[in-house]
Amino acid sequence: MKKRRNDGGGGGGANWMDTYGDLVTLLLCFFVLLYSISSLDQAKWIMIVKSFNPDAKEVSQIADDPDLLADDDVPGAIDAEAFDDLFESLTKAVEEADLTSEVELFKGDGYTFITFHDNVFFDGDSSIIKDEGTEILAQFASIMSGVDSSIKEIRVLGHTTQADPSVPNNPENDRLLSSERAARVVAFIQQRTTVSPDKLVSEGYGQFRPIAPFDTAENRAKNRRVELLITKSDAVEHSLEEYYQQMNR
């Protein structure tokens, strides 16, 4: 007599359980992946993309939303709120020093621009920083130390004015004076801040970036100035002319 085959559906059941187990495992991996990128961080995202594209020479479509903050304990994370508070802290320091008529501050997209007018720092043709100048600079250096990780660069720009409206300045004296003034401000800041020295840059423009004509003593005083351009770590850089245009809109 032919025996009846009795496998009780065991083979089919085992196959079904294997498929179900694989599905659950894949879902678990998927949710772990979602959890790992739940706080959007550029470094983590790059690692994930590279894991799927190991042969790619560069990673495209990297998520970089400045409104989303990376974890504080991630190396290189940018504290956007701290940089945004920089402008308010500097403004308060200027008000407390009673220098609102001598110091102008402008907050742009990813940068803070500061203008020190005429004799805040220097006398006449001197490049020695005055006492009142060192006081406000020391406060600024202390404030900038608090947000050093989110600062890309601090550029100090030195400017002179044309003393005689009809006769340009002596090029050597003009260039050296503006450069030395900017360099002294940078050196002062470097000695009193935790901002990395490679982020500090001094530039001397002489009389060639005027913001007013040379026709009157008042206008010439406007051109005689020192400027600080503080940019945020993830900000897009612009030319000096573009910064001026944004401030004068």
Side-chain angles (χ1 to χ4, degrees):
M1 177 182 294
K2 187 176 181 180
K3 293 182 179 181
R4 178 182 301 176
R5 184 177 179 180
N6 184 16
D7 52 16
N15 292 336
W16 178 84
M17 289 296 294
D18 290 342
T19 302
Y20 178 78
D22 291 342
L23 176 61
V24 172
T25 302
L26 289 173
L27 286 173
L28 176 62
C29 293
F30 177 71
F31 286 116
V32 169
L33 176 62
L34 290 179
Y35 177 78
S36 68
I37 63 173
S38 59
S39 58
L40 191 59
D41 177 71
Q42 183 168 336
K44 292 180 182 178
W45 182 248
I46 290 176
M47 292 175 62
I48 293 171
V49 174
K50 284 186 175 180
S51 69
F52 288 112
N53 301 275
D55 298 327
K57 294 183 179 180
E58 61 180 20
V59 180
S60 60
Q61 297 180 346
I62 300 302
D64 187 15
D65 187 348
D67 295 329
L68 296 175
L69 300 181
D71 295 337
D72 292 339
D73 58 350
V74 178
I78 298 171
D79 191 340
E81 290 185 355
F83 188 90
D84 291 339
D85 291 340
L86 174 65
F87 176 82
E88 304 300 333
S89 299
L90 295 176
T91 300
K92 183 178 179 180
V94 170
E95 292 173 349
E96 292 177 348
D98 195 24
L99 290 173
T100 53
S101 62
E102 302 295 335
V103 182
E104 291 184 13
L105 294 96
F106 179 87
K107 182 180 180 181
D109 184 13
Y111 70 92
T112 294
F113 201 100
I114 309 162
T115 301
F116 295 90
H117 292 294
D118 201 15
N119 296 322
V120 177
F121 289 149
F122 307 102
D123 285 321
D125 293 331
S126 172
S127 62
I128 305 300
I129 304 177
K130 299 193 300 184
D131 290 342
E132 51 265 44
T134 61
E135 291 177 6
I136 188 65
L137 266 184
Q139 293 184 54
F140 275 29
S142 177
I143 293 170
M144 290 184 289
S145 293
V147 295
D148 59 318
S149 62
S150 63
I151 291 177
K152 175 188 286 185
E153 187 177 71
I154 300 175
R155 292 170 60 188
V156 179
L157 319 174
H159 302 272
T160 61
T161 193
Q162 186 170 314
D164 186 334
S166 60
V167 181
N169 296 336
N170 177 281
E172 184 174 355
N173 295 340
D174 188 56
R175 293 285 187 177
L176 288 176
L177 180 60
S178 63
S179 297
E180 188 171 352
R181 285 177 168 178
R184 286 188 181 273
V185 171
V186 164
F188 184 94
I189 293 174
Q190 180 176 333
Q191 294 170 353
R192 290 164 175 79
T193 185
T194 60
V195 177
S196 178
D198 64 299
K199 295 181 180 181
L200 305 176
V201 180
S202 63
E203 300 175 352
Y205 287 95
Q207 67 175 75
F208 300 105
R209 291 292 191 281
I211 56 176
F214 300 119
D215 53 353
T216 66
E218 182 180 358
N219 280 336
R220 289 194 292 274
K222 293 178 181 178
N223 293 324
R224 194 183 298 113
R225 67 200 190 278
V226 173
E227 299 168 327
L228 268 69
L229 173 59
I230 310 171
T231 52
K232 187 178 175 182
S233 295
D234 60 350
V236 177
E237 291 190 41
H238 301 283
S239 67
L240 186 58
E241 286 71 20
E242 289 176 312
Y243 286 117
Y244 285 153
Q245 290 173 4
Q246 291 179 26
M247 290 187 291
N248 293 326
R249 287 176 181 173

